[in-house]
Amino acid sequence: MRHLILIFFLILFNLQLVFGQFSPSIHNYSIAEYKAGNQNWDIARADNGKVYVANNSGLLEYDGLIWQFYQLPNKTVVRSVLTVGDIVYTGSYEEFGYWEKDEYGALVYNSLSDEVSGEISPNEEIWQIVKFRDKIIFRSFSNVYVYDSNSVTRLRPNSTVISCSVVDGELYISTLKQGVYLLKENELQQFYNNDLLLDAKIISIDKYKNKLLLTTSLKGCFFLENGKLSRTSFEVNEQIKLHQLNNFSILDSGEMIFGTIKDGVFVTDINGNIKFHINKENGLLNNTVLGQALDEDNNLWFGLDNGVANIELNSSNYFYNDVSGRLGAVYDIIEFKDVIYIGTNTGLFKLDENDQLDFVEGSQGQVWDLKIIEGELFCGHNEGTFLVDGDDFKMISSHTGGWTIKKVPETESTYIQGTYSGLVRFRKHSGSWEVKHLGKTTIPSRFLVFENSKTAWVAHATKGVFRVNFDENHDTITSISDYQNKGITSDYNVRLYNIMNNICFKANEGWQKYEPILDSIIPFKLLNEKLGKDNYVISEEDVQPFALKNSSGFISFKSFTDDNGGLVLNDKFLKDRYIIGYENISKLEDSSYALNLDNGFMIINSTSKNNIELFKPDVEKILVNGNLISAEKSSDEAIAFNYNKSIVVELSSAKSINHFFEYKIPSLNEGWTKVEGNRATFNNLKDGVYDISFRARDTSGNISEAHSIKIDVLPPWYRDKLGLLLYFVILALILASFYIMHNRKVAKEQRVIKIKYQKEQQKLLREKTLENEKRIVQLKNESLHNEIKLKSKQLANNAMALVKKNETLQEIKKELMLNKDGFSNYYAFKKLVKKLDNSIVLKDEWEVFEENFTQVHDEFFEILKSRHSKLTPKDLKICAYIKMNLSSKEIAPLMNISVRGVETHRYRLKKKLDLENDISVVDYLLNIKK
């Protein structure tokens, strides 16, 4: 087998082969992520795992999770960087020095160039920093500065300084025109010079098989041994001459890393043969490598002309990347007749002898499935199903959308395919394929598994799962049973598998299986425990170990026979390239797999060991209410701060990869809480002492050792000693105030009682006086009433006397009238009668009566006159008599009229008074009031 097999021979046996577009895992960091200048001139990784980058705008720090930016005091470009322990040395424009953390965890810059400020050349820039024994060497093109922790010494060669290299405890200083010098006791001594090195721009000098290896910018590589200079036979020589070498590293294994100006990175074996060429075409952000660093784990870090990159050389998994966009989204990969075929959304591709993409003509469109059947390569395509052989692309089925094809158990050369429009049977007869749509169902069947030779299961994207029965010869479908309401927990996106002769279903809520006895779908405890409820299989279900993808995005390999678990792919950059919902891992060899990705695929060695290790977090900074406090004390003593203040703990675990942080406060909650970013913020904590544990974790379940700190939330002042003292004072004041106020209250109450008694006495006196006055008035009223009664009685007696008198006079007059003939003198008779008449109606008597009547019945006549202005004096008299409650018979003599005349007058009087028929004159006059 050709390229792919060779790749894995390399992985397993480290053979010396060229892989073209294949490359290790590349992690790119763009300007949008680190938010600084585009050019990154140098890069270094510290012992604690943090990465420091010399950037156009300043110094960048990356802890595996968060980028931090630091600016020099003069805000100039940083050209070089070196880490030694916890100190970060940087060189820039007319400036060099070091950064060190203060007690608060903040990175603070200290200038060293101030010591030689008068010696620095105008426009001088420090392009390289190396550690040499106990000294730090700063190199510009003009000078070499030696810092010995106490002072800075300047050395000035007579030629342009190109590079400094430390080999076996010796410092080699390479110049442009005067060869190589050695640093001896702060003096430069000529080491070697040769015309071949004139203007060669030596990039580095390294030890190589007991001799020196000199790499140059445009002249390739040289060996220097016993004073003799010779050209190497490295295959990479021509490439670095053509693309201008800019930096170089040697791995512990002897493999070499060449960073160029024009065409990215070349990785070679120990003999200089190219293993990988990593450039913009296969994943690097930029082809210009300005700086490189190799950490203790053989991870390469590159500072690029536009971005930062990390390449994992220690991984046994490799990528085929196509950044041109021709490939598109990859759906399936297979090796057939020593050719690698790649099915994508744009068509079918194969890799040529140089591992370049070669499009299979006529295959444009979506490719779903690639499978070798009966020695032939089937291609399930959007337009149908095709046979592939080299460049030959021949249609054998026009039924669109060949998603999957499975062999019918216990049969020969009979296969069923799930398509857009249902199930299609393929049968090989006399060397050719017979194709037939099985009818009855047009269910789009992406997932298809066989229960037995006559029964299969298919899944619909939104309508659940169906059980399909075939006839004896698989010529037609005899029945279809819908299991939508028979236990399946969800009808959406159900995946079907046949695992250990069980029909298994992966739904959103976990794994289920078909139980024939119950003819129902039930939970599958074994798979939920072994594979995980959130995991679904993305490899062939009959192959172990299973390739599983988790909802969090990582891929793992698990086997029923190995409880320890296998390889886990937990790469945050890899997640961005998944074809979501169509992830697929194709098995190529016993331990070799291919994972489909967007614009490429990944070659996986499932036997490789997990190199995922999470490291105990460090507390970088602690802020209380926005103010930094000493982070050094956090591990020794409790961090005390005032109540109602917020505390922020900034964490880092720079050696961990693809991680996040969690914290736990046992006194509040037994569970772990995820930290957003690298800062854990705690607000509204009650007063008391808390132990807080922090740990790093990744989505595949790996956890680190916990780091614990103790915080002491001081009680608020009102629960502190000051508060208790204040409470005591307040209590004493309250008691004193209560005593004084009580005494005042007693005195006030006594005054109030005294005043109350005085007021009650005055009230009693007033009431007694009023009572007496009322009694007097009552007595007066009674006296007046009695007087009125007396006068009324007198008035009535007078009236009766008048009545009697008038009656007597009238009787006399009547007798006289009867005996008028007895009078001899008629004149005397008339005179006598006239006197009688005058006596009967005596004016003076009426006036006396009227006066007495008015005294008894005050304002009676005024009321009548005001209400009834038409009443005559005679009417008033009759009203007065009626008021006296005299009858008509009694009124007649007083008026000197007949009783009938009185009645007639009373009738007229009723009209004058405008009385209703049901109201009598007597009632009206008796009750008349003002």
Side-chain angles (χ1 to χ4, degrees):
M1 301 179 73
R2 199 171 59 91
H3 293 70
L4 199 56
I5 295 176
L6 292 178
I7 292 171
F8 287 102
F9 281 162
L10 170 67
I11 295 170
L12 299 175
F13 306 108
N14 196 29
L15 295 180
Q16 303 173 6
L17 300 171
V18 179
F19 287 89
Q21 295 249 43
F22 288 97
S23 67
S25 175
I26 303 172
H27 297 170
N28 288 300
Y29 303 89
S30 65
I31 296 177
E33 293 176 82
Y34 60 73
K35 296 180 176 60
N38 61 311
Q39 291 177 310
N40 298 286
W41 296 101
D42 198 7
I43 193 165
R45 194 175 191 192
D47 295 339
N48 61 11
K50 289 188 177 181
V51 177
Y52 292 91
V53 183
N55 182 266
N56 248 13
S57 301
L59 177 66
L60 289 172
E61 178 190 68
Y62 181 58
D63 65 359
L65 198 64
I66 301 296
W67 288 93
Q68 297 274 5
F69 174 70
Y70 300 93
Q71 206 166 36
L72 287 167
N74 58 5
K75 299 181 180 181
T76 58
V77 58
V78 176
R79 298 292 190 187
S80 54
V81 62
L82 175 72
T83 61
V84 178
D86 294 330
I87 299 177
V88 181
Y89 294 92
T90 57
S92 62
Y93 179 80
E94 296 182 358
E95 173 70 44
F96 60 90
Y98 64 93
W99 303 75
E100 194 171 19
K101 284 189 176 181
D102 61 13
E103 61 175 321
Y104 303 108
L107 208 58
V108 179
Y109 181 71
N110 300 276
S111 176
L112 294 175
S113 54
D114 291 343
E115 298 185 23
V116 288
S117 58
E119 301 177 20
I120 294 180
S121 304
N123 302 316
E124 185 176 5
E125 293 182 293
I126 305 299
W127 287 95
Q128 188 182 12
I129 308 172
V130 296
K131 184 178 185 302
F132 171 57
R133 298 175 184 172
D134 58 348
K135 299 179 176 62
I136 303 298
I137 309 301
F138 298 87
R139 176 193 66 81
S140 72
F141 286 133
S142 304
N143 301 293
V144 173
Y145 298 93
V146 181
Y147 172 59
D148 62 1
S149 300
N150 294 312
S151 61
V152 178
T153 303
R154 187 186 75 157
L155 303 176
R156 187 177 180 87
N158 294 324
S159 178
T160 301
V161 182
I162 301 300
S163 65
C164 293
S165 304
V166 178
V167 180
D168 291 337
E170 297 289 345
L171 177 65
Y172 294 87
I173 300 174
S174 303
T175 65
L176 185 63
K177 296 185 179 297
Q178 294 188 351
V180 181
Y181 289 84
L182 283 175
L183 178 64
K184 298 289 185 179
E185 302 297 331
N186 279 357
E187 291 184 0
L188 296 179
Q189 296 181 4
Q190 184 78 46
F191 169 70
Y192 183 79
N193 196 2
N194 190 298
D195 291 341
L196 288 175
L197 300 179
L198 187 65
D199 296 328
K201 294 184 180 179
I202 299 173
I203 299 301
S204 70
I205 299 176
D206 297 271
K207 188 174 183 180
Y208 180 91
K209 297 180 179 180
N210 297 319
K211 49 190 171 186
L212 293 180
L213 172 65
L214 282 65
T215 57
T216 68
S217 175
L218 295 171
K219 293 186 177 182
C221 303
F222 297 86
F223 288 134
L224 181 60
E225 185 177 17
N226 298 324
K228 294 182 179 181
L229 188 69
S230 61
R231 294 185 183 274
T232 69
S233 58
F234 292 167
E235 177 189 359
V236 75
N237 271 341
E238 296 305 316
Q239 297 296 329
I240 62 176
K241 289 179 183 179
L242 179 64
H243 300 298
Q244 190 177 346
L245 182 66
N246 195 43
N247 40 71
F248 174 80
S249 298
I250 295 184
L251 278 64
D252 293 338
S253 63
E255 295 177 326
M256 295 176 282
I257 314 298
F258 297 84
T260 70
I261 292 293
K262 298 179 181 180
D263 201 16
V265 178
F266 293 88
V267 180
T268 74
D269 61 15
I270 193 171
N271 296 315
N273 298 314
I274 299 174
K275 290 176 59 178
F276 301 111
H277 178 201
I278 306 168
N279 58 12
K280 192 172 182 180
E281 290 185 4
N282 58 7
L284 210 60
L285 280 178
N286 187 267
N287 279 335
T288 300
V289 180
L290 297 178
Q292 66 169 273
L294 183 67
D295 64 21
E296 59 185 12
D297 297 322
N298 276 347
N299 284 310
L300 277 171
W301 290 85
F302 293 102
L304 306 177
D305 192 59
N306 190 346
V308 175
N310 168 226
I311 298 179
E312 296 181 8
L313 288 182
N314 59 352
S315 173
S316 58
N317 304 317
Y318 293 84
F319 289 83
Y320 186 93
N321 297 311
D322 173 49
V323 295
S324 68
R326 287 183 61 211
L327 198 59
V330 176
Y331 283 81
D332 204 358
I333 304 143
I334 199 167
E335 194 273 340
F336 178 65
K337 293 183 179 179
D338 296 333
V339 178
I340 298 174
Y341 290 90
I342 307 166
T344 77
N345 67 317
T346 60
L348 183 65
F349 292 82
K350 61 179 182 177
L351 294 181
D352 64 15
E353 294 178 354
N354 296 318
D355 294 328
Q356 299 298 313
L357 288 176
D358 186 9
F359 183 71
V360 177
E361 294 298 328
S363 69
Q364 55 269 21
Q366 177 71 56
V367 174
W368 292 113
D369 184 42
L370 295 172
K371 186 163 289 186
I372 299 172
I373 299 175
E374 308 274 338
E376 296 179 278
L377 178 58
F378 275 57
C379 175
H381 195 277
N382 186 67
E383 301 298 327
T385 302
F386 298 81
L387 289 179
V388 182
D389 189 3
D391 292 326
D392 188 19
F393 194 69
K394 177 183 177 183
M395 177 181 284
I396 59 171
S397 170
S398 61
H399 299 289
T400 59
W403 264 319
T404 183
I405 186 167
K406 297 289 180 70
K407 186 178 186 300
V408 179
E410 302 172 7
T411 64
E412 292 185 4
S413 303
T414 303
Y415 299 82
I416 303 294
Q417 184 185 54
T419 70
Y420 292 167
S421 57
L423 302 180
V424 177
R425 187 205 66 194
F426 288 76
R427 179 176 292 156
K428 194 169 188 179
H429 182 69
S430 300
S432 61
W433 290 98
E434 296 176 353
V435 180
K436 180 182 179 182
H437 192 284
L438 295 180
K440 200 152 189 177
T441 176
T442 57
I443 299 171
S445 306
R446 180 184 165 198
F447 294 99
L448 167 69
V449 295
F450 278 93
E451 181 180 343
N452 53 54
S453 62
K454 295 182 180 179
T455 306
W457 290 77
V458 296
H460 189 279
T462 60
K463 296 181 180 180
V465 295
F466 300 84
R467 193 169 183 234
V468 182
N469 292 311
F470 306 97
D471 66 355
E472 187 73 25
N473 296 319
H474 301 92
D475 290 329
T476 185
I477 294 173
T478 58
S479 66
I480 299 174
S481 301
D482 186 352
Y483 278 71
Q484 190 173 20
N485 299 314
K486 291 190 177 183
I488 193 76
T489 57
S490 173
D491 295 328
Y492 296 93
N493 300 321
V494 180
R495 293 171 176 262
L496 290 176
Y497 307 94
N498 187 329
I499 300 176
M500 298 185 302
N501 294 320
N502 287 290
I503 302 302
C504 304
F505 310 88
K506 175 59 182 74
N508 294 333
E509 290 75 15
W511 287 93
Q512 294 180 278
K513 70 174 182 176
Y514 172 65
E515 180 53 61
I517 297 176
L518 301 175
D519 191 29
S520 181
I521 298 172
I522 63 173
F524 199 171
K525 183 179 179 182
L526 175 63
L527 290 193
N528 283 323
E529 291 177 352
K530 288 289 186 179
L531 304 184
K533 286 186 176 182
D534 295 330
N535 295 343
Y536 55 89
V537 177
I538 60 174
S539 61
E540 292 294 330
E541 64 267 28
D542 58 349
V543 176
Q544 286 202 40
F546 292 110
L548 302 169
K549 182 174 180 293
N550 183 273
S551 58
S552 299
F554 67 86
I555 292 175
S556 60
F557 290 82
K558 288 189 177 181
S559 171
F560 288 119
T561 58
D562 185 4
D563 292 330
N564 295 324
L567 178 67
V568 176
L569 304 177
N570 185 19
D571 190 330
K572 64 182 180 180
F573 296 93
L574 191 62
K575 296 173 190 176
D576 297 333
R577 298 184 62 187
Y578 290 148
I579 314 300
I580 302 299
Y582 292 88
E583 302 90 344
N584 180 45
I585 285 187
S586 306
K587 187 171 183 179
L588 304 174
E589 291 294 324
D590 288 340
S591 59
S592 303
Y593 295 83
L595 169 64
N596 65 319
L597 299 171
D598 186 28
N599 292 325
F601 57 91
M602 180 180 184
I603 303 299
I604 304 168
N605 178 14
S606 64
T607 63
S608 60
K609 294 182 179 180
N610 273 325
N611 56 0
I612 298 175
E613 181 181 1
L614 298 182
F615 294 83
K616 179 179 178 180
D618 294 321
V619 174
E620 294 289 327
K621 295 177 184 176
I622 299 175
L623 296 92
V624 174
N625 233 36
N627 299 315
L628 284 169
I629 66 170
S630 176
E632 296 175 354
K633 298 179 181 179
S634 63
S635 58
D636 301 325
E637 57 187 65
I639 303 165
F641 59 94
N642 292 331
Y643 175 79
N644 207 24
K645 302 290 185 182
S646 65
I647 180 171
V648 177
V649 181
E650 189 174 300
L651 306 165
S652 75
S653 180
K655 288 187 176 182
S656 302
I657 60 172
N658 304 321
H659 64 286
F660 57 88
F661 296 110
E662 295 179 319
Y663 72 85
K664 180 174 71 171
I665 306 178
S667 58
L668 296 180
N669 191 346
E670 289 299 321
W672 291 86
T673 303
K674 184 178 180 180
V675 175
E676 294 299 327
N678 69 332
R679 287 189 162 203
T681 303
F682 304 95
N683 297 310
N684 303 319
L685 291 175
K686 294 182 180 179
D687 56 288
V689 177
Y690 299 89
D691 287 316
I692 306 178
S693 297
F694 300 96
R695 72 183 185 186
R697 181 186 178 94
D698 63 18
T699 54
S700 58
N702 298 303
I703 58 175
S704 71
E705 181 185 350
H707 181 117
S708 296
I709 65 171
K710 184 177 290 185
I711 63 173
D712 183 5
V713 183
L714 302 177
W717 65 269
Y718 49 82
R719 287 207 296 268
D720 205 357
K721 293 179 181 179
L722 177 61
L724 295 176
L725 177 62
L726 181 60
Y727 297 148
F728 177 78
V729 173
I730 291 174
L731 180 61
L733 291 174
I734 289 173
L735 293 174
S737 301
F738 179 78
Y739 177 76
I740 295 171
M741 291 174 66
H742 178 70
N743 289 340
R744 289 181 179 178
K745 183 179 179 181
V746 170
K748 182 178 179 180
E749 287 178 350
Q750 290 176 347
R751 289 196 302 272
V752 169
I753 291 171
K754 183 177 180 181
I755 293 170
K756 180 180 179 182
Y757 288 153
Q758 289 176 350
K759 287 183 178 180
E760 287 181 354
Q761 289 176 354
Q762 291 175 358
K763 182 179 180 182
L764 289 173
L765 289 174
R766 284 198 300 271
E767 290 178 351
K768 194 67 175 175
T769 302
L770 289 173
E771 185 178 350
N772 292 336
E773 289 177 353
K774 288 180 180 179
R775 183 64 180 163
I776 292 170
V777 171
Q778 184 179 0
L779 292 174
K780 285 183 179 180
N781 289 337
E782 290 178 355
S783 175
L784 290 173
H785 183 65
N786 291 333
E787 185 179 352
I788 289 172
K789 287 178 67 177
L790 179 61
K791 287 187 177 182
S792 296
K793 187 174 183 181
Q794 290 176 352
L795 182 60
N797 291 335
N798 289 338
M800 293 305 297
L802 285 173
V803 169
K804 293 295 183 181
K805 183 192 79 160
N806 286 344
E807 287 179 350
T808 304
L809 290 177
Q810 285 179 349
E811 287 179 359
I812 296 172
K813 182 180 175 181
K814 184 176 181 182
E815 289 295 327
L816 287 176
M817 292 301 288
L818 292 174
N819 299 299
K820 68 177 177 177
D821 292 339
F823 284 89
S824 58
N825 188 348
Y826 179 77
Y827 177 75
F829 173 76
K830 291 294 281 185
K831 186 174 180 180
L832 181 60
V833 171
K834 185 175 181 181
K835 284 183 178 182
L836 287 172
D837 289 336
N838 289 336
S839 296
I840 292 170
V841 185
L842 186 60
K843 183 178 181 182
D844 293 337
E845 291 179 352
W846 164 252
E847 290 175 354
V848 174
F849 175 81
E850 183 179 17
E851 182 178 354
N852 291 332
F853 181 85
T854 304
Q855 290 179 359
V856 175
H857 302 286
D858 186 25
E859 298 178 347
F860 176 74
F861 290 118
E862 291 182 5
I863 294 171
L864 280 176
K865 288 178 181 179
S866 63
R867 293 184 181 179
H868 310 286
S869 59
K870 293 182 180 181
L871 295 178
T872 63
K874 190 174 180 177
D875 295 331
L876 293 174
K877 283 181 182 182
I878 292 177
C879 289
Y881 293 143
I882 294 172
K883 180 72 173 175
M884 292 296 296
N885 204 19
L886 298 178
S887 63
S888 297
K889 186 177 179 182
E890 291 173 334
I891 294 172
L894 294 174
M895 296 294 291
N896 195 23
I897 57 177
S898 64
V899 175
R900 186 173 180 79
V902 174
E903 293 296 335
T904 302
H905 206 92
R906 289 178 71 164
Y907 176 76
R908 292 174 182 169
L909 182 61
K910 185 174 183 178
K911 288 186 175 183
K912 288 185 178 182
L913 294 176
D914 293 329
L915 299 179
E916 301 291 336
N917 292 334
D918 57 345
I919 300 176
S920 66
V921 176
V922 177
D923 290 336
Y924 178 71
L925 293 176
L926 287 176
N927 296 309
I928 193 169
K929 293 180 181 178
K930 202 168 186 178

